[in-house]
Amino acid sequence: MTSSPTTTDPLPRHIPEPSGTAALLIDDAGRYLLHLRDAHKPIWRPGHWACLGGHNEPGETCDQGIARELREEIGLHIPDLAPFIAVDTLDAAGSMHDRVMVYLGTLNQPAHEIPLREGVQLRWTHAAETAHMTMDPGTAAVIHAHQANPLPRVGAEGRLPTVRVREAGGHRDRSVVGAHLVLISNGAALLGKRHPGSAFAPSTWHTPAGHREQNESALACMIRETAEETGLAVTERDLTLVHTVDLLDPGSPTPRIQLFFAASDWEGEPTLREPDRCTEWRWWPLASLPDPTVEYTRVALEAISRGAPYTAMGWT
């Protein structure tokens, strides 16, 4: 999916509140601090270089939101942050999809010394280099606008300028695909307790699971993840697709297809192969799953017991 900037002009008279914030951080060499977003999470623009930032929480102002996001993502307070520009993302038909308030600030610190707590990597980047990177279109448009007018420009009635990016027409929505192992023995399912430091569902029970990698089938993913997480060996002929969860997480633009495969046979005993992700394996009776269990996993296991093949969650 690609997007392209269209206009930079004053905001319209009736302005929806921004749903998120971002920080355009610049050093004294004129470089921009860019953040490589995780490619395997249900987040906005996975795998893209972007400004730091995120969605506002309920009841939070934009000023509060960007301060919180920077604390959470890099553990820093930027004293000179000031509103700079708004980014409107429009769908292919021209309807509003999302509005983000972008703040401008200064930071002079080597990227490797900044304590990144979310995402993959930080990089100080000259504007010309972004042409060779997988950029979030809104971030690219903001950098272009800053190159043209580097100072904040507040217009009539205190309104900031806005840059609009439009989603390309004719694209297809993509979903993240996850594979989950349903291992049943004497009426009990094998579940692992996720590490308390996990970004997703810390200290919560979940099936052995993972995301498929590039050029990998869901079955191949299930076999690989089973071996990597539990040390158990399964083959394709052992696995049967027993349930699909069609999931849209709140606050995420990326749907997820969660496939649950039941194993008719396996070799070995479950062991902790990834203790940084899972702290224990345990067999739990299907009639009394532990609390907390990942919600869509609980829903799937209950549906499997009824013989239901499909569940939609999070869609309106």
Side-chain angles (χ1 to χ4, degrees), residues 182-190 263 266 283-286:
V182 181
L183 213 59
I184 307 295
S185 179
N186 298 319
L190 181 67
W266 63 89
W283 298 92
W284 290 92
L286 288 169

Side-chain angles (χ1 to χ4, degrees), residues 31-216:
R31 299 178 301 175
Y32 301 94
L33 186 65
L34 296 182
H35 176 218
L36 181 58
R37 297 172 64 78
D38 195 313
H40 299 293
K41 289 186 177 180
I43 57 178
W44 181 250
R45 306 295 189 204
H48 286 65
W49 290 94
C51 294
L52 293 161
H55 286 281
N56 293 340
E57 294 184 351
E60 194 174 52
T61 66
C62 287
D63 287 358
Q64 293 168 337
I66 191 58
R68 174 186 52 77
E69 287 288 347
L70 291 176
R71 287 196 307 271
E72 293 176 354
E73 294 184 343
I74 59 175
L76 296 178
H77 169 67
I78 308 299
D80 66 343
L81 272 184
F84 174 66
I85 200 168
V87 178
D88 288 353
T89 299
L90 312 179
D91 63 22
S95 299
M96 176 71 73
H97 180 287
D98 188 60
R99 169 171 282 131
V100 172
M101 182 68 70
V102 181
Y103 288 72
L104 184 64
T106 304
L107 179 63
N108 286 285
Q109 187 172 342
H112 69 275
E113 294 181 1
I114 301 173
L116 180 63
R117 297 171 179 175
E118 297 180 12
V120 179
Q121 182 183 350
L122 293 172
R123 183 182 193 273
W124 285 109
T125 306
H126 289 286
E129 297 176 286
T130 62
H132 309 287
M133 301 165 66
T134 303
M135 293 291 297
D136 162 50
T139 299
V142 168
I143 290 175
H144 178 78
H146 182 262
Q147 289 284 298
N149 294 284
L151 298 178
R153 294 173 292 118
V154 179
E157 301 180 13
R159 294 176 181 173
L160 290 170
T162 181
V163 61
R164 298 192 179 99
V165 295
R166 185 186 293 247
E167 302 289 358
H171 70 274
R172 294 184 178 181
D173 290 335
R174 296 183 179 182
S175 300
V176 176
V177 176
H180 302 67
L181 183 67
V182 181
L183 213 59
I184 307 295
S185 179
N186 298 319
L190 181 67
L191 299 178
K193 191 171 187 180
R194 295 181 59 79
H195 192 278
S198 296
F200 169 70
S203 301
T204 304
W205 294 90
H206 194 32
T207 58
H211 302 120
R212 71 174 179 183
E213 297 179 352
Q214 188 173 5
N215 298 322
E216 182 180 53

Side-chain angles (χ1 to χ4, degrees), residues 192-196 203 205 272 274-281:
K193 191 171 187 180
R194 295 181 59 79
H195 192 278
S203 301
W205 294 90
L272 287 175
E274 297 178 328
D276 59 325
R277 299 185 180 183
C278 178
T279 58
E280 64 175 303
W281 295 109

